Amino acid sequence: MRFYRCALALASLLATCPPALAQKLDPRFFEREVRPLLLENCTGCHSKARAQGGVRLDAALNKATAEKLLAAIRYDAKIKMPPPGRLAAPKINALEAWVKSGATFPLTASPITGGQGASKHWAFQPVTRPKVPTPRNPVLSAEWVRNPIDSFVLDKLETNKLFPAPPAGKRALLRRLTYDLIGLPPTPEEIETFVSDKSPDAYEKAIDRLLASPHYGEKWGRSYLDLVRYAETNSYERDNPKPNAFRFRDYVIRSFNSDKPYDRFIKEQLAGDELEGSGNDGLLATGFYRLGIWDDEPADVEQAVFDGYDDIVTTIGQAFLGLTIDCARCHDHKIDPIPTKDYYQLVSFIRGVNYFKNGGVTDEVALFRSPAEKRSYEKEKARFETERQQTLAHISTLDDDFIKTRDDKLTQKDLEGISYKRYVGSFSTLPDFATLTPESRGTQPGALLDLNPRFTDRSFGLVLEATLHVPEAGEYTLFLDSDDGARLTVGEQTVAERRGSGGEGNERSGKKALPAGDIKLRLEYFESSGTSPMGFRIAWSGPSFPRRPLSTARSISPLGLVAQLALDDPPKSAERTRLAKLADDQAKREPLIDRMLVVTESSPTPAETFVLARGVVAQKGEKVLPGFLSCTGGGQPEKIAPTASSSGRRLALARWIASAKNPLTARVMVNRIWQGHFGRGLVKTPSDFGLQGARPTHPELLDWLATEFVKSGWSMKKLHRLILTSATYRMSSVPPSPVRHGGESAAEERGGTLRGNDDPENELLGRQNPRRLTAEEVRDSILAASGSLNRQVYGPSVYPDIPKEVLAGQSIPGKDWYPERSSARDKCRRSLYIFQKRSLRYPLLESFDAPETDRTTPARLTSVQPMQALSLLNSAFLQEQASALTLRAEREGGATPEALASRLFSLVTQRPATLGERKKLVGLLQNLEKRGMTPARARQTLALACLNLNEFLYLD
C-alpha cells in the first residue's frame, strides 16, 4: 500500500509541474547515464507493464512534469522517490541534466524493456577514443595529474565539487602494490629499501620488479581462473577427478607471466587446436571447455549434453563479453536484446565439442616439449604395439586350432539330414519365417548345425532343420546361446529362445521329455548386422551322457568361443584367458610421457543445431547456423575453414570475440583489471554489461582505457602499469580533511570541497578503496610471515592437511579422494596449487570466501563472520604457523620479549611497531605467562594474536 499511495501522490504532483527548459541531449550520455539508472531504480514500478499511480518513466516525459519529478528524487517534496532511499548525488545530477534536456528518449521510441531499441545501449556501441578532458583548475592539475587517467577522474570530481584524497604513504603504497601484483606481502626489508630510495622513479622501478616476478602470473592467473570456473573434479555425487587439469592452470599462469596478448589468449582457449602454429599452448588452452561440471550418470543423456553447452555459452558470455547470454536459452532475454535464436547460433559454434568425456583420444593427448621427445615416444609406443599384436596372434592361433580340431574329435553323430533356408532382410526381432520367401535353400554336410550359409555383409535370417537321434527315452536339456535373435524347437515345442539382439554370453536352456528314436529339430536365427560374423552355440545333454555340441565350432562368436573352450578344454581356456588379459594390459601401456587435458573435435561436420523451445531437446524448432549476437551487429562468419578433424567454427567465434571491433571484449577486460586494483570496476557488475547491469561511473575513461589496451597490442602488463602509475591509484583510502589541505578556504581556492559524505560509495574515485585480503592471500601471507612459504611455481596440485571430520563428510569418503601424498614442503605451497575438489574446499579458504567453482565468479564476496576468527585462532594450521613464526622472530630479532615482539609485529604488518604497540605486545606476553602458560606457549599465542590483527588482514 505504501508504494501505491506514493505513486498516486506522485501522479498528482507531476500534474502541476512547470515546464523545463529543453537543452540539446547527447545521446551517449542518455544511454550511459540515464537509461540504466531508470531501469535500476524506477521502471520496476513505473513502466507500461506496471504504471503505479498512472506514472510511467519508461518513455518520454511531459516537460510540464519534469521539475516536480526532480523534487521527488531530491527528497525536497512530500513525495520522496524512490521509497527505499535517496539516490546518490551523481545519479541525481544525471537525472537533472536529462530533465534540462527535455526528458526525452532520443535513441528509441519503444519502452526501455529490451527489444530492438535496447541495442542502442552504451555497451553495444563501438568503442571510440574520447578526448582527454582538461581539468578546470590548472594549479590542482599540475599538482595531481600524472597521466590521462587522472584527468578523467579529476574532471568528474571537479564536476561534483569534490577533492581527491592525499597520496598514500610509501609503506602503505608498496604493501598495496605488492599484494595487487603478486598476491603476497612485501618483506620488511623490501619496505625499508623502498622507503629509503629517494630517486624519482623508485615507485616505477617497484612496479617493473613486481610485474617481472613469476608470482605476478599466480596472482592474476588465480583471478582469471575464477572466471572460467576452474576446478579439478566433475562435481555431482562422485566428483571424479579431471585428469591433468592442473596443466590448464599452469598455462594460465605462464600466459600472464609472458604478457601474452589478451586477444591471442582468448583465441587459444576457444580454438587453440584450430589455430595454426599454436603448439602445446593451443592444445592446453582448450582445457577451458573441460573445466565445467559434468554429471556422469544423467537421467536424460541428450538433455545433459545441452546443459554442458549451456555451461560453456554462459562462461564465454560472462567471462569474455560481460553478458548473461544464457538467459536466452529458454526464451528471448527478458532484459537484454538477445533473442533465443542468438543463443543457439552460439551453441552451433561449439556443437562439435565433446566437453564431458573422460579419457580417450579427444580428451588427453601427449605433451611433447621437443621433436626428439615426440620421436622417442612414437618409437616406444610402436614397440608396445608390436608386443600386443604378437599376443593377439597367439590368441588367434589358439582359437584357430580349437576350431579346426574340435569338431573332428566328436565321434557321436546326433544330427543328420541338415537343411537350410536363408532370408535377406533387416530384422530387429525374430520374424515369422513361415510368411517369408527364402532367398536360397540347400543342405549342409556333416552332423552339426553350421552358420556357413551366412555369406553376406547384410542383415540376414537363417532356418536350419535336422533330424535329432534320441538314444533313449528320458528328460533332455537343450542349450541355446546366440548373438542376435534365435529360437530352438524340438518336435513342435520351443525349448529356448531369444527374440531380440543381445550378444552371446547369456545362454538360455530348456528341458523336455523325449522318446527314443528320431525327432525333428529346428533352429531359427537372425543377425541384425553382417559387418562382423557373430554366431550361435547349440548343445544338449541326456540321462546317459553329459553336455555335447550340436553346432560347429566355426559358428561360435569370439565371445561364445571363450565359454565353449572353458567347457571343452579347461587348461587351454586358462591359457587363453591369461593371453587375453596380457593383451588388454599391453593395450593400456603407454611410454612414460606427460599428458594434457584438451578438447578437439572428431569430425569436420558437427551435428545440426536447432532452437529448442523452452530449452527442451525434444522440442526442436528452427534450424540455425553459427552466427553472432544481433545486439552487436549480428551476422554470420565470413569464413569458416574446416580441417581434417575439426569444423573450424570455434576459430571463427574466437576471432569475432577477440576482435578490436567487438564493442564488449576490451571494455570487459579493462574493467576487470581496474577492479583488481580498486576493489570495484568502473562498471560495478563486471560480468553484466547489459541493461540490468550497472552503468559505468566513468564511461569516457573506460573507453579511453579500452582503446589504449588495444593500441598496446592487448598487453595486460602495460595496462597494469598505466593504472598503477596514476595518482588515482596512489591515493590514500582516507578521505581528505581541512587539516591535510590547508583548511576550508584553501580547498575552496583549489576548486573542491571536503565533504566526504557527498560520495559515500566512492563512485567518483575521490580516494582509494580499502580491501580485505582474498582467501588465498590470507593463507599465503601466513606462510610468508612464518617463513614456511614454498614459492615454487607450476606443477601438479598439492594436498595440505584437512581435518578427518571434514573428509568424513564426503559422499564417497576415503583416502583415494584426498590422498596423503604431499610432502611437508609441498603442503606449504601457495593456495593456488591446492587440489581444487568441487565438493571439498580447503576449510580456511572457504571461510574467507573462496569462490564456488561450479560457475563463473565475476567478483569475490567479502564477508565478516565467526568462522574466520575461529579458523585464525584454533585451526591446526594456524597453531603450526604461529609456532614457526615465533621461531623465525626469535632467530631474526632476538629472544628478549621486546626484540621478539618487535620482529613479530614487523613480519606480520611490514612496518616497525610504535612504542605504544611494543608495550602492549610485551604486556600481553607477560600476562600470558603470569596466567600459567609456559614461555613457549605464551610466545606462540603472541604470534597468533599478531596474525589476527586487522592490519594483517586488510589493506589501507
Side-chain angles (χ1 to χ4, degrees):
M1 288 300 294
R2 179 187 177 196
F3 283 95
Y4 182 66
R5 288 195 298 270
C6 289
L8 287 176
L10 180 60
S12 63
L13 203 61
L14 293 176
T16 60
C17 181
L21 294 176
Q23 300 174 1
K24 186 177 180 180
L25 177 70
D26 182 349
R28 291 176 300 176
F29 173 81
F30 175 81
E31 291 298 326
R32 290 172 173 171
E33 303 286 342
V34 180
R35 189 193 295 275
L37 192 157
L38 295 173
L39 277 169
E40 182 179 353
N41 299 282
C42 307
T43 57
C45 296
H46 303 292
S47 66
K48 180 179 180 180
R50 188 185 179 195
Q52 291 279 20
V55 178
R56 286 183 58 188
L57 296 177
D58 60 346
L61 298 183
N62 186 325
K63 292 182 181 179
T65 68
E67 288 299 332
K68 289 298 182 181
L69 170 62
L70 291 181
I73 64 171
R74 290 172 183 150
Y75 276 40
D76 290 343
K78 181 178 179 181
I79 304 305
K80 297 175 173 56
M81 286 287 153
R86 188 172 184 263
L87 295 174
K91 296 179 179 179
I92 293 175
N93 294 340
L95 286 176
E96 286 178 343
W98 175 56
V99 166
K100 288 179 181 178
S101 73
T104 61
F105 285 71
L107 295 182
T108 176
S110 61
I112 51 174
T113 55
Q116 292 301 314
S119 63
K120 302 297 184 181
H121 178 58
W122 69 268
F124 304 138
Q125 304 310 302
V127 179
T128 57
R129 189 174 179 87
K131 182 180 178 182
V132 178
T134 302
R136 296 165 179 78
N137 189 321
V139 176
L140 180 59
S141 175
E143 286 181 2
W144 194 73
V145 172
R146 292 178 179 270
N147 67 31
I149 291 174
D150 302 324
S151 296
F152 285 102
V153 172
L154 186 57
D155 182 64
K156 276 275 189 180
L157 291 170
E158 288 181 328
T159 299
N160 290 274
K161 299 182 179 180
L162 294 174
F163 201 88
K170 291 190 77 173
R171 293 180 184 276
L173 183 59
L174 186 64
R175 188 167 187 260
R176 177 198 301 166
L177 179 69
T178 307
Y179 270 111
D180 281 0
L181 283 182
I182 67 172
L184 292 171
T187 65
E189 292 71 28
E190 287 171 340
I191 291 279
E192 294 308 319
T193 300
F194 179 66
V195 169
S196 61
D197 188 347
K198 305 302 180 184
S199 60
D201 63 344
Y203 178 66
E204 286 76 9
K205 287 189 295 184
I207 293 174
D208 293 340
R209 172 177 62 83
L210 293 167
L211 284 174
S213 167
H215 302 307
Y216 158 77
E218 292 176 323
K219 161 66 178 179
W220 283 87
R222 175 62 265 180
S223 297
Y224 184 79
L225 293 174
D226 286 2
L227 296 173
V228 295
R229 79 270 189 246
Y230 171 77
E232 298 176 73
T233 59
N234 293 325
S235 192
Y236 294 96
E237 180 185 10
R238 279 177 285 276
D239 201 13
N240 285 322
K242 294 179 181 293
N244 297 302
F246 76 90
R247 297 195 190 282
F248 179 85
R249 175 246 290 152
D250 285 358
Y251 157 79
V252 169
I253 298 171
R254 283 198 310 275
S255 297
F256 275 91
N257 278 336
S258 65
D259 198 21
K260 180 173 290 181
Y262 182 60
D263 59 338
R264 176 75 181 191
F265 189 49
I266 293 173
K267 291 174 186 175
E268 286 180 349
Q269 290 173 81
L270 296 181
D273 57 308
E274 297 180 335
L275 195 60
E276 186 175 353
S278 62
N280 284 335
D281 265 12
L283 291 175
L284 279 168
T286 62
F288 163 85
Y289 290 99
R290 297 289 308 282
L291 298 176
I293 63 174
W294 171 46
D295 184 357
D296 60 2
E297 198 174 43
D300 185 328
V301 174
E302 193 173 3
Q303 192 71 38
V305 168
F306 278 86
D307 289 345
Y309 291 141
D310 184 66
D311 166 66
I312 295 171
V313 170
T314 298
T315 306
I316 290 173
Q318 294 189 34
F320 301 138
L321 300 173
L323 292 176
T324 57
I325 298 171
D326 50 307
C327 294
R329 180 184 183 183
C330 303
H331 48 68
D332 290 348
H333 201 296
K334 296 298 186 184
I335 304 295
D336 295 337
I338 304 175
T340 304
K341 183 178 179 180
D342 279 13
Y343 172 90
Y344 286 99
Q345 287 183 158
L346 292 180
V347 170
S348 184
F349 280 108
I350 59 173
R351 191 72 169 89
V353 164
N354 180 5
Y355 68 89
F356 56 84
K357 186 179 177 185
N358 270 347
V361 294
T362 63
D363 300 303
E364 294 175 80
V365 298
L367 173 57
F368 300 118
R369 296 178 177 86
S370 69
E373 187 178 43
K374 182 177 182 181
R375 288 193 298 270
S376 175
Y377 170 85
E378 290 175 345
K379 182 178 179 181
E380 188 73 357
K381 187 173 181 180
R383 183 174 70 84
F384 289 164
E385 179 60 20
T386 299
E387 292 175 356
R388 189 178 78 91
Q389 291 300 328
Q390 290 172 351
T391 303
L392 292 174
H394 193 172
I395 294 173
S396 180
T397 299
L398 189 153
D399 290 348
D400 289 345
D401 288 346
F402 172 75
I403 291 172
K404 289 176 182 177
T405 62
R406 178 259 201 181
D407 296 345
D408 294 339
K409 292 178 181 178
L410 298 176
T411 59
Q412 188 67 39
K413 308 298 182 182
D414 294 323
L415 296 175
E416 69 174 357
I418 303 172
S419 65
Y420 73 86
K421 295 176 183 176
R422 184 171 150 282
Y423 303 82
V424 175
S426 180
F427 307 109
S428 59
T429 186
L430 273 171
D432 182 357
F433 285 108
T435 65
L436 303 178
T437 302
E439 181 192 46
S440 62
R441 63 179 69 207
T443 60
Q444 282 188 1
L448 294 171
L449 303 177
D450 192 71
L451 193 55
N452 186 51
R454 180 181 181 279
F455 56 83
T456 180
D457 289 333
R458 297 172 293 166
S459 298
F460 73 98
L462 184 66
V463 175
L464 296 170
E465 294 180 321
T467 299
L468 178 66
H469 299 303
V470 182
E472 59 182 291
E475 186 176 65
Y476 290 80
T477 302
L478 289 104
F479 303 92
L480 167 67
D481 191 7
S482 67
D483 174 55
D484 283 342
R487 179 184 296 116
L488 183 62
T489 303
V490 178
E492 300 299 325
Q493 181 181 347
T494 297
V495 291
E497 73 174 347
R498 167 181 278 162
R499 297 196 60 81
S501 301
E504 284 188 71
N506 185 15
E507 190 175 65
R508 311 293 172 90
S509 63
K511 295 182 182 297
K512 180 175 176 60
L514 299 176
D518 294 340
I519 191 169
K520 182 180 178 182
L521 180 142
R522 175 184 172 95
L523 173 67
E524 298 169 77
Y525 172 78
F526 81 87
E527 279 188 20
S528 57
S529 173
T531 56
S532 59
M534 298 305 288
F536 53 74
R537 289 190 303 145
I538 314 298
W540 72 326
S541 64
S544 60
F545 61 91
R547 173 174 173 144
R548 63 192 185 209
L550 294 174
S551 58
T552 62
R554 64 171 175 262
S555 297
I556 306 173
S557 74
L559 184 62
L561 184 65
V562 174
Q564 190 65 50
L565 193 60
L567 292 171
D568 291 4
D569 194 337
K572 192 171 288 188
S573 174
E575 173 65 6
R576 191 189 191 285
T577 300
R578 185 189 69 79
L579 291 171
K581 184 179 185 305
L582 177 60
D584 286 345
D585 292 342
Q586 289 171 333
K588 296 173 184 175
R589 285 180 67 191
E590 287 279 353
L592 292 177
I593 192 74
D594 290 336
R595 306 191 75 80
M596 47 187 170
L597 186 70
V598 304
V599 159
T600 56
E601 296 183 29
S602 57
S603 167
T605 308
E608 295 179 330
T609 305
F610 300 87
V611 174
L612 304 180
R614 306 299 298 174
V616 178
V617 173
Q619 299 183 25
K620 292 181 179 178
E622 175 187 0
K623 178 181 174 181
V624 297
L625 295 174
F628 306 129
L629 294 177
S630 55
C631 60
T632 62
Q636 273 72 42
E638 292 182 4
K639 181 181 179 182
I640 294 180
T643 67
S645 60
S646 182
S647 67
R649 292 181 176 186
R650 287 176 290 116
L651 184 56
L653 174 64
R655 285 174 172 157
W656 172 71
I657 291 176
S659 168
K661 295 181 180 180
N662 191 305
L664 293 161
T665 310
R667 281 174 173 144
V668 168
M669 192 56 183
V670 162
N671 190 63
R672 294 196 194 282
I673 292 178
W674 187 276
Q675 173 182 288
H677 291 306
F678 289 88
R680 186 177 64 204
L682 296 170
V683 178
K684 290 189 290 185
T685 51
S687 288
D688 188 357
F689 275 39
L691 286 165
Q692 63 185 344
R695 73 185 191 282
T697 56
H698 296 69
E700 291 80 13
L701 173 57
L702 179 65
D703 277 10
W704 187 86
L705 286 171
T707 60
E708 197 70 12
F709 184 37
V710 174
K711 182 181 175 183
S712 73
W714 300 83
S715 168
M716 289 181 276
K717 285 190 175 182
K718 288 180 181 178
L719 182 59
H720 283 297
R721 201 176 194 282
L722 180 63
I723 294 171
L724 295 172
T725 53
S726 69
T728 303
Y729 176 79
R730 300 192 216 187
M731 283 189 292
S732 168
S733 62
V734 179
S737 67
V739 175
R740 287 197 178 96
H741 295 285
E744 296 282 355
S745 59
E748 295 288 343
E749 290 175 9
R750 292 167 183 251
T753 69
L754 304 173
R755 299 191 306 272
N757 61 350
D758 280 357
D759 186 20
E761 296 183 11
N762 195 28
E763 289 190 348
L764 300 178
L765 299 171
R767 60 187 182 277
Q768 181 58 270
N769 295 307
R771 74 169 177 90
R772 197 204 69 202
L773 302 183
T774 65
E776 293 87 352
E777 288 170 342
V778 170
R779 180 179 175 274
D780 295 350
S781 297
I782 292 169
L783 291 167
S786 72
S788 304
L789 181 64
N790 177 355
R791 294 175 182 253
Q792 176 189 341
V793 183
Y794 309 121
S797 297
V798 298
Y799 299 82
D801 296 332
I802 288 181
K804 290 182 174 57
E805 296 81 2
V806 176
L807 292 174
Q810 293 285 282
S811 61
I812 307 177
K815 289 185 179 180
D816 289 345
W817 290 99
Y818 200 82
E820 298 176 4
R821 63 187 182 202
S822 295
S823 66
R825 178 168 168 75
D826 279 347
K827 290 177 182 179
C828 291
R829 292 191 68 191
R830 292 192 68 171
S831 304
L832 170 68
Y833 299 105
I834 293 176
F835 185 75
Q836 298 286 308
K837 191 175 196 300
R838 282 194 155 98
S839 61
L840 179 67
R841 289 188 287 176
Y842 187 72
L844 180 66
L845 302 184
E846 184 172 22
S847 64
F848 278 94
D849 309 308
E852 180 191 0
T853 54
D854 282 2
R855 55 189 57 83
T856 176
T857 300
R860 295 284 185 98
L861 297 174
T862 302
S863 66
V864 178
Q865 42 95 357
M867 280 304 299
Q868 294 167 352
L870 292 171
S871 296
L872 290 180
L873 286 170
N874 301 321
S875 69
F877 173 73
L878 262 294
Q879 298 292 325
E880 292 170 1
Q881 295 309 312
S883 295
L885 175 58
T886 303
L887 293 174
R888 180 186 180 187
E890 289 177 344
R891 184 174 63 251
E892 297 178 2
T896 67
E898 292 77 10
L900 174 68
S902 294
R903 189 56 177 166
L904 275 176
F905 190 85
S906 66
L907 287 171
V908 170
T909 65
Q910 295 86 53
R911 69 172 177 85
T914 65
L915 178 60
E917 288 166 340
R918 283 200 303 274
K919 285 182 178 180
K920 288 181 180 179
L921 292 171
V922 172
L924 174 59
L925 184 62
Q926 292 169 344
N927 266 338
L928 293 172
E929 291 183 6
K930 285 178 183 178
R931 296 189 177 201
M933 276 192 185
T934 64
R937 176 62 176 160
R939 292 180 174 220
Q940 181 200 37
T941 304
L942 180 64
L944 199 61
C946 290
L947 291 172
N948 278 267
L949 291 172
N950 268 359
E951 190 173 343
F952 172 70
L953 294 172
Y954 287 85
L955 298 176
D956 71 330

